[in-house]
Structures are given as structure tokens and as C-alpha cells.
Amino acid sequence: MGNDNWPEIGEFVVCTVKNVTDFGAYVELEEFGGREGFIHISEIKAGWVKYVRDYVREGQKIVCKVLNVDPSRGHIDLSLKDVNEHQRRAKIQDWKNEQKATKWLQFVAEETESEGDESGLQALHEKLVEEFGSAYSAFEEAAVEGENAFKGLKVNKKYLQSIIKIAGENIKLPFVDIAGYVDLTCDLPNGIEIIKQSLHAANSISDVDGEDIKLEVSYTGAPRYRIKVIAPDYKKAESVLKKSAQTAVDTIAKLGGHGIFKRHIESAKA
């Protein structure tokens, strides 16, 4: 963020402790151009505080809550005691992620030979924050969705291509997405109903394996059905895919039909 920005009341901010006194601590707000804030001794910790240095020290990174902002006086009142451990961890992680995104945007500048275009890069950063909530979120979306993440967004195409490339190189997706195919046939009079039962059985596997598994069964063209699995890791996804496909094959065989699982279909588009 630039020097013209001020934090909002109630916002959590990352600070570096600069000076500890008997009555509080002066800190520098990392995300707001190094603006100075003050934590009164009464906002250090709930209860009585005898020595401020028992709780904060110079050079320490802390997370504070903004109590009051007075731009005319250049004054920011902060609280350390109003931040719980969960809020502290979440804010620190968000801050670290934004630092990564800022570094990645520098990579974008280097890759697109735009290092000297500071205004253009700043505008890009602001647009990403406006559209995605943060620059890091934009890179995350780019890693997951590729160009689809930026549909309708008016941004230089060379920037977008570079963002997608750098996102793919630096962000490890929390889930993997794989697919396989089953061919199901049944010549009995109620063959269609039997195939439906087999697909239903295959689709129920995700309920057994947990909430973190997403399984979709779709029709691709007789007699082929696509099974798509989204899971936290490849090993689990592969296991669920095979289990689901085998369930479909076993179910239809018991009911008088025939099924076969094919992990890859060259002519099919995953």
C-alpha cells in the first residue's frame, strides 16, 4: 500500500515495534508505508501491566487492532490485547502471502520487461486487489482457473499470461483433479435402470471417503461415463477414482450387465 493510505478502525495490522516506553509502545505499520502507531499500556494486555517490555520488545513483529485514526494529526491508536491467537495467525499469514504476491509482481515486471513502468504495475496491483480482494488471491485464482479467472477484467494480456505462468510455478494447489471412464452396458429390458443404479453406487463412494472428496459422474456418450474426483492429494484421488469405478463395474455385473474401467481415454477430453 502507498503512503496515502490509512488503516480503517477495527482493521488488523502487522506492526514492527520501534520504541518501548513506560506508558506504551510506538510501532511502524508494515502495510501502510511505515506509518507510526501507538499502543497505550492499557491496550497491551488485559489486566494490570507493570512493565511494557515484559510483553513487547523493539524489532518484534506483532498484530494489532486499529482503535482510532486521525489523519490530520497523523495519529493511529492501536490495541494488542484485542487480538486473539487465531486472528494473529490469520493476519500474519495474509501479510506473508501479500509479500509473496508483491515479489511475484516484480517477476511479472521482469518477464514482461516492464520494470520501469511503476505506474502501470501499481495500477495492475490495485486492479487485482479490487477484483480479488488481494494480489495473492489473484495468483491463487490464476493457478486454479488460468485465463478463466480474468474473464471480463481489462488487463494487459502480457501481464495476465505472465501472472498465470508465475502462479503455476509458485503455488501448490491444495487439491488435485483427476478423471477416469467406465463403459457400462446392459441388454436386459430394464438395462437403463440398472446402469443408473450402478452409477448411483459409484457416486456414493465420496460419502464414504469423507467431506474433503468431491466426486462427479457425467455422461459422455454411450456407453461411456466420466468419473471426476477432486481430493486433497493425488494418492487419495486415485484411490477414490478406482474404488468408484470398480463399484460401478461390480454393481452392473451383479445385476446382469457388463462394465469396464478405463483410466485414460485418448479420444476423450478430461
Side-chain angles (χ1 to χ4, degrees), residues 120-131:
L121 291 172
Q122 180 64 25
L124 173 62
H125 181 271
E126 291 174 357
K127 187 173 285 290
L128 294 179
V129 171
E130 179 183 351
E131 182 71 19

Side-chain angles (χ1 to χ4, degrees), residues 186-225:
C186 184
D187 296 330
L188 297 175
N190 61 336
I192 293 177
E193 190 60 36
I194 289 174
I195 290 173
K196 285 182 179 179
Q197 289 182 43
S198 302
L199 294 173
H200 178 74
N203 206 32
S204 66
I205 291 300
S206 60
D207 297 331
V208 176
D209 282 79
E211 296 180 358
D212 57 348
I213 300 294
K214 184 177 180 181
L215 190 151
E216 297 176 358
V217 179
S218 58
Y219 176 71
T220 62
R224 187 155 295 153
Y225 298 84

Side-chain angles (χ1 to χ4, degrees), residues 175-176 178 202-216 227-241 243-244:
F175 289 88
V176 295
I178 64 172
N203 206 32
S204 66
I205 291 300
S206 60
D207 297 331
V208 176
D209 282 79
E211 296 180 358
D212 57 348
I213 300 294
K214 184 177 180 181
L215 190 151
E216 297 176 358
I227 301 176
K228 176 182 176 182
V229 178
I230 299 175
D233 56 73
Y234 181 83
K235 185 177 180 180
K236 194 166 189 177
E238 190 71 34
S239 173
V240 171
L241 174 60
K243 191 183 296 184
S244 175

Side-chain angles (χ1 to χ4, degrees), residues 45 67 70 76 81 104 117 138 142 206 244 253-254 256 260:
K45 182 182 179 295
L67 299 178
D70 188 346
I76 303 171
K81 72 178 184 181
W104 294 340
D117 185 13
S206 60
S244 175
K254 289 178 182 178
I260 184 171

Side-chain angles (χ1 to χ4, degrees), residues 103-116 121 139 157-170:
K103 184 177 180 180
W104 294 340
L105 283 173
Q106 287 300 317
F107 291 164
V108 171
E110 293 169 8
E111 192 171 82
T112 59
E113 300 180 348
S114 307
E115 296 99 316
L121 291 172
F139 278 94
K157 191 167 184 178
K158 69 176 182 180
Y159 286 158
L160 294 186
Q161 291 174 338
S162 181
I163 287 172
I164 293 167
K165 175 177 177 292
I166 291 170
E169 293 171 346
N170 290 278

Side-chain angles (χ1 to χ4, degrees), residues 133-147:
S134 71
Y136 185 83
S137 294
F139 278 94
E140 276 191 319
E141 289 295 319
V144 175
E145 298 289 340
E147 289 190 13

